[in-house]
């Protein structure tokens, strides 16, 4: 209805999941990092909870899209109100396994053979169950039994349980204590803060072709945030109604008064505030009503004229994105990889064999005594790591590119430009395009078989303990046994560096450990050091 008036190619605030509209707020990035960390470090079970409308399903779909098919086998089960046999059959079907009229035992056997085949082929199997709060305790117990399928070294399947906060209460039931104890990575997804809510709106307007065609006044954005508490689904519903109000009045600026009217109209539709959403309790509704009444009363006091439109994503990041769009994903990967290889004195690569991912980057580096690993998290995590890294970024109209983060200049971050040289971005500008995933190029003197977990024994554990001693992280003996003392040392190190505190040594923890022990000889974002040629 209003698309042609505003110049949109499509409605910007539809509530259906569309990967082009994915926006990762600070909280979503953190959740994404926990999910990736748990999967890549063989956590076995991962729990993701969040209120209705906070973006859990979008987060899960984004996660699955980031896991390359050549390394993973993926299945997503949605709203599983099923019996034990029905869930097993659905899981097998999602993995492409056929077993008509099979019993539960036969289905489990079919699944086990599939998992062994994938393990031999070097692929990780990931099962994601959304709306898991709807599972019965009996079905939950079956999920636990599936997780028992393992080899001597690793779990054969990684299981993500996602759902509303009721999932946590379900897992606390006494009969599910064995399952609850196996969940080593947990994250509760919170709503967006005000800054992320503003950036979310600007992002969706950009994707729909509306950059500059419509502006939300600062006051309007504040009212929207107060009414929605930063819950993406509610932001979409009210922002869509506000655009309709603006269209009816022939205005391309959404004022505070228009937003107040949209909130009032939507608030009258009780289904928005009904159901499981605790944030919109009876007290919350009463407060919203008072706010709306006050806004309508104040609307005539200067709000209609002279309001400052909210600033969109116009700046160094926008110029950089335009340049990135002129090169291919593969070429962006080659350029970014060479930018982080240079400080190590490593040989530059002439081309990548395929789209950039961990496998193709490792293959491109070749045998140069250089390791490539990936981490996920926040810009704060990268600054603590203090190494040049390759960043995955997304373009507004879809598609991915790679950038190199090569330095820090005060509060600004220096990234490579396809036109040559560096571009200085603020953290907010970089966060608008960064997916939260990065690749680290570094020298790894340990070459351990990861992950190393409590209870492990052997020469790898002994070498780890000796290295921890030299790094000042561990004061025990190099016994070759991953005992409680070793686990506690790792947990303390993880806590000090802002890493998930699981007491295990995976790629991310090992990267930080080696960085600590070899810090003076490593390149740095703050004070770049050129390493000797390898």
């Amino acid at each position: 209805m209003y698309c042609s008036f505003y110049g949109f190619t499509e409605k910007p605030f539809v509530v259906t999941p569309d990967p082009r509209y994915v926006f990762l707020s600070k909280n979503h990035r953190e959740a994404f990092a926990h999910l990736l960390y748990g999967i890549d470090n063989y956590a076995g079970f991962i729990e993701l909870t969040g209120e209705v409308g906070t973006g859990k399903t979008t987060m899960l779909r984004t996660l699955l899209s980031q896991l390359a098919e050549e390394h993973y086998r993926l299945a997503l089960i949605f709203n599983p109100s099923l019996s034990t046999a029905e869930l097993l059959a659905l899981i097998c079907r999602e993995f492409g396994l056929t077993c008509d009229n099979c019993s539960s035992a036969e289905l489990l056997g079919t699944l086990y053979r599939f998992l062994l085949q994938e393990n031999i082929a070097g692929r990780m199997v990931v099962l994601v169950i959304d709306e898991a709060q709807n599972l019965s305790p009996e079905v939950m117990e079956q999920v636990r039994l599936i997780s028992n399928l393992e080899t001597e070294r690793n779990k054969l399947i990684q299981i993500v349980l996602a759902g509303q906060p009721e999932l946590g209460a379900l897992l606390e039931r006494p009969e599910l204590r064995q399952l609850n104890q196996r969940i080593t990575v947990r994250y509760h997804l919170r709503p967006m803060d005000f800054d992320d809510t503003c950036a979310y709106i600007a992002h969706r307007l950009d994707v729909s072709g509306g950059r500059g065609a419509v502006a939300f006044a600062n006051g309007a954005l504040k009212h929207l945030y107060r009414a929605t508490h930063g819950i993406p689904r509610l932001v979409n519903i009210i922002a869509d109604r506000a655009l309709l109000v603006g269209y009816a009045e022939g205005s391309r600026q959404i004022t505070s008064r228009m937003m107040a009217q949209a909130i009032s109209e939507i608030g009258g539709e009780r289904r928005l505030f009904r159901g499981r959403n605790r944030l919109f309790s009876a007290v919350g509704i009463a407060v919203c009503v008072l706010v709306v009444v006050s806004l309508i009363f104040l609307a005539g006091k200067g709000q209609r004229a002279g309001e400052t439109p909210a600033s969109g994503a116009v700046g160094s990041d926008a110029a950089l994105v335009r340049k990135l769009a002129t090169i291919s994903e593969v070429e962006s990967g080659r350029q970014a990889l060479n930018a982080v290889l240079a400080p190590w004195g490593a040989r530059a690569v002439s081309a990548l064999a395929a789209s950039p991912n961990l496998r193709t980057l490792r293959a491109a580096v070749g045998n140069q005594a250089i390791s490539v690993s990936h981490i996920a998290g926040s810009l704060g995590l990268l600054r603590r790591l203090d190494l040049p890294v390759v960043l995955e970024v997304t373009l507004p109209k879809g598609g991915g590119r790679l950038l190199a983060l090569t330095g820090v200049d005060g509060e600004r971050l220096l990234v490579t430009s396809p036109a040559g040289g560096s571009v200085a971005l603020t953290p907010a500008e970089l966060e608008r395009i960064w997916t939260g995933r990065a690749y680290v190029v570094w020298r790894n003197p340990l070459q351990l078989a990861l992950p190393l977990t409590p209870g492990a024994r052997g020469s790898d554990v002994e070498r780890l303990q000796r290295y921890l001693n030299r790094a000042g992280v561990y004061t025990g003996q190099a016994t070759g046994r991953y005992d409680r003392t070793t686990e506690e040392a790792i947990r303390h190190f993880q806590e000090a560096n802002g890493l998930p505190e699981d007491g295990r040594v995976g790629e991310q923890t090992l990267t930080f450990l080696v960085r600590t022990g070899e810090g003076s000889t490593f390149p740095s974002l703050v004070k770049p050091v050129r390493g000797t040629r390898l």
Side-chain angles (χ1 to χ4, degrees), residues 32 35-36 39 56-69 72-78 94-95 124-130 158 160 437:
F32 192 75
L35 292 172
L36 277 178
I39 290 172
K56 297 184 298 298
T57 300
T58 299
M59 173 62 52
L60 295 174
R61 293 183 184 277
T62 303
L63 171 73
L64 295 181
S65 70
Q66 293 288 319
L67 300 179
E69 291 184 2
Y72 300 89
R73 288 291 180 265
L74 312 168
L76 172 62
I77 307 297
F78 182 76
E94 287 296 313
F95 284 125
M124 184 181 293
V125 179
V126 181
L127 170 64
V128 178
I129 303 179
D130 199 5
Q158 309 302 306
V160 179
R437 191 177 178 96

Side-chain angles (χ1 to χ4, degrees), residues 119-178:
N119 182 259
I120 293 170
R123 289 184 288 266
M124 184 181 293
V125 179
V126 181
L127 170 64
V128 178
I129 303 179
D130 199 5
E131 301 294 345
Q133 77 278 352
N134 294 328
L135 290 171
S136 67
E138 294 76 17
V139 176
M140 276 287 199
E141 178 61 15
Q142 180 62 69
V143 173
R144 184 186 70 83
L145 294 176
I146 292 174
S147 76
N148 284 341
L149 305 178
E150 58 188 7
T151 65
E152 291 182 357
R153 292 184 62 87
N154 292 316
K155 292 286 186 182
L156 290 175
I157 186 168
Q158 309 302 306
I159 301 175
V160 179
L161 298 175
Q164 296 166 26
E166 291 85 349
L167 173 60
L170 174 62
L171 291 169
E172 290 291 338
R173 295 177 63 155
E175 62 267 38
L176 294 177
R177 62 186 180 279
Q178 292 189 65

Side-chain angles (χ1 to χ4, degrees), residues 252 285 330 534:
R252 288 183 172 82
I285 295 172
V330 171
L534 301 173

